[in-house]
């Protein structure tokens, strides 16, 4: 089994001073801006979704 992926930076301030939170699975704390947030894996995209399709990728 592989380790869980960790965020590299805070989505609010961009700092890298992140630590797992005691709030539960996927919860993180940023000690630079004093915010807490959670991450959740929603699932895999269907194989037919590409960067050129209207529902996936960059515009």
């Amino acid at each position: 089994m592989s380790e869980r992926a960790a965020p590299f930076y805070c989505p609010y301030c961009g700092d890298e001073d992140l630590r797992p939170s005691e709030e539960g699975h996927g919860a993180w704390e940023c000690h630079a801006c004093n915010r807490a947030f959670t991450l959740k894996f929603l699932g895999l995209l269907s194989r037919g979704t590409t960067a050129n399709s209207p529902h996936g990728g960059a515009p």
Side-chain angles (χ1 to χ4, degrees), residues 18-39:
L18 302 177
R19 298 184 188 140
S21 175
E22 294 179 5
E23 294 297 317
H25 179 72
W28 292 87
E29 298 173 353
C30 176
H31 287 245
C33 69
N34 204 32
R35 288 186 169 104
F37 58 93
T38 60
L39 300 176

Side-chain angles (χ1 to χ4, degrees), residues 2-50:
S2 64
E3 290 186 35
R4 287 181 265 165
F8 294 112
Y9 56 89
C10 173
Y12 297 100
C13 72
D15 201 273
E16 297 176 357
D17 190 10
L18 302 177
R19 298 184 188 140
S21 175
E22 294 179 5
E23 294 297 317
H25 179 72
W28 292 87
E29 298 173 353
C30 176
H31 287 245
C33 69
N34 204 32
R35 288 186 169 104
F37 58 93
T38 60
L39 300 176
K40 181 178 179 182
F41 177 71
L42 298 177
L44 298 174
L45 299 175
S46 67
R47 222 164 202 240
T49 303
T50 66

